[in-house]
Amino acid sequence: MSKGLPETRTDAAMSELVPEPRPKPAVPMKPVSINTNLLGYIGIDTIIEQMRKKTMKTGFDFNIMVVGQSGLGKSTLVNTLFKSQVSRKASSWNREEKIPKTVEIKAIGHVIEEGGVKMKLTVIDTPGFGDQINNENCWEPIEKYINEQYEKFLKEEVNIARKKRIPDTRVHCCLYFISPTGHSLRPLDLEFMKHLSKVVNIIPVIAKADTMTLEEKSEFKQRVRKELEVHGIEFYPQKEFDEDLEDKTENDKIRQESMPFAVVGSDKEYQVNGKRVLGRKTPWGIIEVENLHHCEFALLRDFVIRTHLQDLKEVTHNIHYETYRAKRLNDNGGLPPGEGLLGSVLPPVPATPCPTAE
Amino acid sequence: MDKEYVGFAALPNQLHRKSIKKGFDFTLMVAGESGLGKSTLINSLFLTNLYEDRQLPEASARLTQTLTIERRGVEIEEGGIKVKLTLVDTPGFGDSVDCSDCWLPVVRFIEEQFEQYLRDESGLNRKNIQDSRVHCCLYFISPFGRGLRPLDVAFLRAVHEKVNIIPVIGKADALMPRETQALKQKIRDQLKEEEINIYQFPDCDSDEDEDFKRQDAEMKESIPFAVVGSCEVVRDKGTRPVRGRRYSWGTVEVENPHHCDFLNLRRMLVQTHLQDLKEVTHDLLYEGYRARCLQSLARPGARDRASRSKLSRRSTTEIPLPMLPLAETEKLIREKDEELRRMQEMLEKMQAQVQQSQAQGEQSAAL
């Protein structure tokens, strides 16, 4: 197929390291084979360009939640991921804030821009998780928050006069921080992931990984993967949502070898070999955050931001949100929830599996 | 012979020889969440692999695990001196989702040792009292937290009047020097705020030289000790072999004072203060326990029972028995009574025999 138009590529820094991620349709279409012997150039391949332009204009939302015991470097890591002070961490290391008695949910929004693309990033912190003597059910406030966002979206969706673009506060990604004990997962880790992996995309990370040698790291990762498998906990990217073989091979490699990512975060720069790098300086050496020989921060960053950002949003919308919606409609006897709706959008049906709306 | 020289200056030598012969007992408890490098540190301190046969349970097994107390004994000999070291471990501490009261078995264990000692001390055969009291508790604090966690505070408050506590920051190679200092200060502040008494290393004698005093002061400033343990020797080309942990960015040397406080801990715990820890346990903590026990015995009902007892070896105090649950006390009184009666019978028998043989002797002499 000859191309008459020069290809315009934006120098979006986000797509530097990997080829353009294929924009995936919201509803996967069945591939229809057509006669590819076109007589001339039509120009439908410019749709990609048009979509990109639209995205740049409207920008997009991304909501990331961090969960883990206090002191595991959650805020530092998020700041490092997005290269800006997007988390509520104070500038000094020694934070004076007291550990809250119950789990709190704190959401902070920022707008960051790169290469003409605007992202409204919301970081949701969960201070107090796992810090008490009795941590029974400390995941409940978190589950409640996530479901509340689904509920908000659902209410907007079933409105008669809908907003052009529904504000999306749903949690697209939950980074769960595992303490680098070197032994195995803690009972609390298992409990949290068991409950929450069904409602949100969980990406487990091993925090403060600069305390493990290479052998200890790989042994620990193997044990963690095995434990998660034994308990049927599916972390993102979930096996059942791989769309095609290409996805599957790519994700299999990540699932079975790289994850959980062993990360180190830092907001301080040091001089190494003439370059300024983010790192941690100890008497026995400098740990470079973006050096793949030192830790897997770069892998996590590429995974979350550069290759799977859109997929995280889609799985949240198509799978987790739909599951929630189906459950809500079922509970309501097929009727949409909410008060003050004059004449429901959907026809009332008996309590059977929910009708495919839209 | 020199009239002015009596010779008792040789007493310390005699004590020294006696204690070498007797050997030395020490019980060390190690406590803290799992995964803080406790076992590795103990192996490093005593250069033995005490945890060879350990099986680490998986997370699902730990969901229902309760805290257990494990004891491991090892005999270490160095320079002709034998040390019988008993290590007390607390696997399961801080692991469960709900850790409420998980420190109670530990408190009970420590008190049971005191109880046993009190019983032995009040008993008849005091020659070979086994001292199983816990002389020191190394408490491991996580380097990942922001100081003491609620569980740490609860545990320390429960045991600080019953055992010598030496707080230690485990896996200290997770911290940069500035972070280490800040964490130590935070912990010290919290200990003061929560009024937790840790073991106070005694001041060195005033006649020591300035250098030693400075070193001593520095060591005290570095509490809680930030430690790294390792039993592996890193042999890199061009550098001398060291015990340490090899990372891609460098090697942490366990015995390098710029890297961690391992040497300080080893010096203060093993080389200089082993005896003092035992003494403080005996003179302060045990006496405190004993006084509390006996005071609570000094209640009207208890006094009657005590006066009925035939055991009155201690004529100075009226209450010879330690505070045990009622049935046990009664049982003990009866047992001691039995023993006493048997001894009296034996004595009478012996006296009779002696009289008999004396009488026989007189008879044969008369013949």
Side-chain angles (χ1 to χ4, degrees):
Chain A
M1 196 159 69
S2 61
K3 296 200 172 113
L5 297 167
E7 277 208 70
T8 43
R9 307 180 95 230
T10 60
D11 56 341
M14 292 179 84
S15 41
E16 234 167 45
L17 286 185
V18 295
E20 321 288 325
R22 293 173 295 114
K24 295 190 191 137
V27 178
M29 292 195 307
K30 284 204 170 55
V32 176
S33 57
I34 54 165
N35 190 348
T36 49
N37 291 334
L38 299 170
L39 297 172
Y41 171 66
I42 302 174
I44 47 180
D45 59 349
T46 58
I47 184 75
I48 295 180
E49 195 43 44
Q50 297 172 33
M51 284 175 73
R52 192 185 298 139
K53 278 218 186 90
K54 265 277 159 85
T55 309
M56 281 173 66
K57 263 211 227 137
T58 53
F60 62 100
D61 296 342
F62 189 67
N63 308 318
I64 183 168
M65 176 184 264
V66 285
V67 182
Q69 276 186 311
S70 74
L72 285 180
K74 304 187 290 293
S75 307
T76 311
L77 187 74
V78 172
N79 289 347
T80 319
L81 264 178
F82 296 102
K83 289 229 165 91
S84 38
Q85 294 276 350
V86 290
S87 182
R88 63 190 184 95
K89 175 171 129 60
S91 50
S92 69
W93 179 86
N94 194 8
R95 271 206 267 175
E96 286 309 318
E97 297 162 38
K98 288 212 162 241
I99 296 175
K101 289 282 178 234
T102 54
V103 179
E104 295 176 353
I105 313 278
K106 295 213 167 118
I108 304 181
H110 290 263
V111 175
I112 27 185
E113 186 178 327
E114 193 181 55
V117 181
K118 272 206 204 67
M119 170 159 87
K120 179 163 170 295
L121 172 73
T122 307
V123 179
I124 302 141
D125 205 344
T126 54
F129 177 84
D131 289 328
Q132 309 309 322
I133 294 177
N134 183 353
N135 292 307
E136 286 276 324
N137 301 326
C138 66
W139 53 82
E140 280 177 355
I142 298 173
E143 197 174 352
K144 186 156 156 289
Y145 176 84
I146 293 173
N147 285 333
E148 276 169 6
Q149 309 317 306
Y150 290 149
E151 183 66 27
K152 250 196 249 178
F153 197 87
L154 183 59
K155 282 215 171 66
E156 289 291 327
E157 236 187 10
V158 302
N159 255 336
I160 299 173
R162 292 206 287 217
K163 295 203 181 102
K164 182 162 163 222
R165 208 177 138 235
I166 302 178
D168 191 358
T169 57
R170 298 169 298 185
V171 180
H172 300 125
C173 166
C174 174
L175 289 182
Y176 186 77
F177 285 67
I178 297 170
S179 183
T181 58
H183 293 173
S184 62
L185 287 175
R186 307 175 82 227
L188 180 62
D189 302 335
L190 273 183
E191 288 290 294
F192 177 85
M193 288 198 267
K194 239 194 268 188
H195 283 89
L196 279 269
S197 57
K198 304 205 175 64
V199 293
V200 71
N201 295 323
I202 295 189
I203 296 181
V205 295
I206 299 173
K208 299 210 165 171
D210 54 344
T211 189
M212 291 193 285
T213 61
L214 280 173
E215 302 85 42
E216 292 168 351
K217 236 188 282 197
S218 84
E219 276 173 19
F220 185 52
K221 280 213 250 191
Q222 259 182 347
R223 266 194 295 261
V224 169
R225 277 195 293 260
K226 190 156 158 290
E227 273 189 319
L228 291 175
E229 195 186 321
V230 159
H231 284 87
I233 296 173
E234 279 255 49
F235 51 84
Y236 178 86
Q238 297 92 333
K239 272 196 267 245
E240 40 182 340
F241 309 141
D242 287 336
E243 276 165 15
D244 51 33
L245 194 59
E246 193 186 327
D247 273 354
K248 187 168 170 341
T249 36
E250 186 192 334
N251 287 342
D252 264 346
K253 189 162 180 297
I254 296 174
R255 274 191 293 259
Q256 286 157 14
E257 289 173 20
S258 321
M259 286 181 84
F261 299 111
V263 296
V264 175
S266 170
D267 48 11
K268 300 239 160 3
E269 285 187 337
Y270 296 96
Q271 193 89 351
V272 173
N273 295 335
K275 283 197 304 164
R276 304 272 313 160
V277 289
L278 280 175
R280 289 171 62 73
K281 184 158 185 221
T282 62
W284 48 90
I286 297 184
I287 304 151
E288 299 166 44
V289 165
E290 280 164 332
N291 182 337
L292 280 172
H293 293 294
H294 291 187
C295 77
E296 292 158 6
F297 169 79
L299 290 181
L300 173 72
R301 179 200 52 206
D302 292 350
F303 180 69
V304 172
I305 299 178
R306 298 182 189 184
T307 53
H308 286 70
L309 192 73
Q310 184 59 24
D311 189 57
L312 280 164
K313 294 182 63 165
E314 280 174 19
V315 172
T316 306
H317 180 70
N318 296 337
I319 313 284
H320 297 300
Y321 170 66
E322 287 298 317
T323 310
Y324 177 83
R325 182 172 169 279
K327 193 165 157 302
R328 284 291 274 127
L329 292 178
N330 250 344
D331 290 346
N332 240 15
L335 292 170
E339 53 304 88
L341 289 175
L342 306 165
S344 53
V345 176
L346 310 164
V349 289
T352 47
C354 78
T356 44
E358 337 274 346
Chain B
M1 203 149 63
D2 197 346
K3 281 224 194 84
E4 279 126 36
Y5 177 68
V6 178
F8 57 76
L11 186 61
N13 281 346
Q14 298 175 25
L15 281 172
H16 183 75
R17 275 208 303 272
K18 279 222 165 198
S19 54
I20 290 183
K21 270 209 232 152
K22 208 166 77 165
F24 201 77
D25 275 352
F26 195 80
T27 303
L28 175 68
M29 173 181 274
V30 183
E33 271 181 5
S34 64
L36 291 180
K38 300 189 293 292
S39 321
T40 311
L41 184 75
I42 295 297
N43 287 345
S44 307
L45 269 178
F46 299 107
L47 291 177
T48 59
N49 192 353
L50 284 155
Y51 294 92
E52 223 160 359
D53 56 353
R54 184 171 72 153
Q55 299 275 23
L56 288 170
E58 295 179 341
S60 37
R62 281 142 74 194
L63 273 168
T64 47
Q65 186 187 43
T66 49
L67 187 139
T68 52
I69 312 270
E70 281 178 9
R71 264 200 277 215
R72 285 182 169 83
V74 66
E75 269 203 20
I76 305 175
E77 182 169 337
E78 201 179 54
I81 306 202
K82 279 205 203 64
V83 174
K84 185 160 159 290
L85 175 72
T86 307
L87 272 167
V88 181
D89 239 325
T90 56
F93 179 82
D95 274 350
S96 329
V97 177
D98 181 1
C99 297
S100 313
D101 295 338
C102 72
W103 51 87
L104 290 182
V106 180
V107 179
R108 209 172 22 241
F109 175 82
I110 297 174
E111 291 196 322
E112 274 170 14
Q113 309 315 307
F114 281 156
E115 209 174 273
Q116 180 67 48
Y117 195 84
L118 185 52
R119 235 183 281 171
D120 289 347
E121 211 184 36
S122 324
L124 292 171
N125 185 356
R126 303 208 295 181
K127 209 162 76 161
N128 293 320
I129 300 184
Q130 292 284 36
D131 186 3
S132 62
R133 296 172 297 185
V134 181
H135 301 118
C136 174
C137 173
L138 278 184
Y139 188 73
F140 280 68
I141 300 165
S142 170
F144 309 122
R146 256 178 234 111
L148 296 176
R149 294 218 179 105
L151 181 60
D152 300 330
V153 173
F155 177 86
L156 292 172
R157 295 193 73 158
V159 299
H160 70 140
E161 308 271 85
K162 305 188 161 76
V163 71
N164 291 314
I165 297 175
I166 297 183
V168 148
I169 300 173
K171 292 198 172 174
D173 54 352
L175 301 169
M176 300 193 292
R178 207 175 25 99
E179 293 172 339
T180 314
Q181 287 314 310
L183 181 60
K184 284 188 183 185
Q185 187 58 49
K186 183 84 206 287
I187 293 174
R188 282 196 288 257
D189 291 343
Q190 277 178 299
L191 288 172
K192 215 191 315 202
E193 206 181 292
E194 301 283 345
E195 294 180 341
I196 293 169
N197 300 323
I198 58 174
Y199 172 67
Q200 299 296 329
F201 289 90
D203 294 323
C204 53
D205 299 323
S206 51
D207 55 355
E208 298 282 355
D209 61 56
E210 283 307 312
D211 231 13
F212 186 84
K213 281 199 200 154
R214 192 182 39 84
Q215 220 181 38
D216 194 62
E218 267 175 23
M219 277 204 259
K220 294 213 185 107
E221 302 266 293
S222 61
I223 293 171
F225 297 113
V227 292
V228 176
S230 172
C231 284
E232 281 162 17
V233 180
V234 175
R235 290 171 220 272
D236 280 331
K237 263 211 306 220
T239 55
R240 64 185 205 295
V242 284
R243 266 203 305 148
R245 292 170 60 72
R246 185 201 268 124
Y247 295 112
S248 327
W249 48 88
T251 300
V252 181
E253 297 167 31
V254 167
E255 286 167 346
N256 183 335
H258 296 294
H259 288 191
C260 72
D261 296 328
F262 175 80
L263 280 185
N264 277 353
L265 173 66
R266 185 172 68 184
R267 194 174 321 148
M268 300 207 88
L269 176 61
V270 178
Q271 292 169 4
T272 49
H273 292 85
L274 223 49
Q275 180 60 23
D276 188 63
L277 283 164
K278 286 189 75 169
E279 280 174 19
V280 172
T281 307
H282 183 74
D283 297 338
L284 197 68
L285 304 167
Y286 167 70
E287 287 300 317
Y289 170 83
R290 186 172 167 280
R292 281 196 298 272
C293 258
L294 301 185
Q295 255 177 19
S296 57
L297 262 185
R299 280 175 286 138
R303 197 174 287 141
D304 288 340
R305 274 192 295 281
S307 57
R308 270 190 280 120
S309 150
K310 295 216 186 74
L311 265 181
S312 47
R313 299 188 88 233
R314 297 167 188 255
S315 45
T316 44
T317 60
E318 357 167 50
I319 308 130
L321 284 176
M323 166 76 148
L324 296 170
L326 199 54
E328 273 214 64
T329 320
E330 297 289 319
K331 191 169 101 170
L332 212 67
I333 296 176
R334 262 181 279 122
E335 277 176 52
K336 300 281 186 190
D337 282 350
E338 275 300 312
E339 225 184 311
L340 203 62
R341 210 171 310 142
R342 261 184 276 128
M343 288 187 74
Q344 281 181 331
E345 278 176 48
M346 228 167 36
L347 208 62
E348 279 164 24
K349 236 191 267 175
M350 282 171 71
Q351 278 180 339
Q353 271 181 352
V354 167
Q355 278 177 347
Q356 223 178 32
S357 57
Q358 266 185 347
Q360 274 179 353
E362 281 172 0
Q363 269 186 349
S364 54
L367 284 171

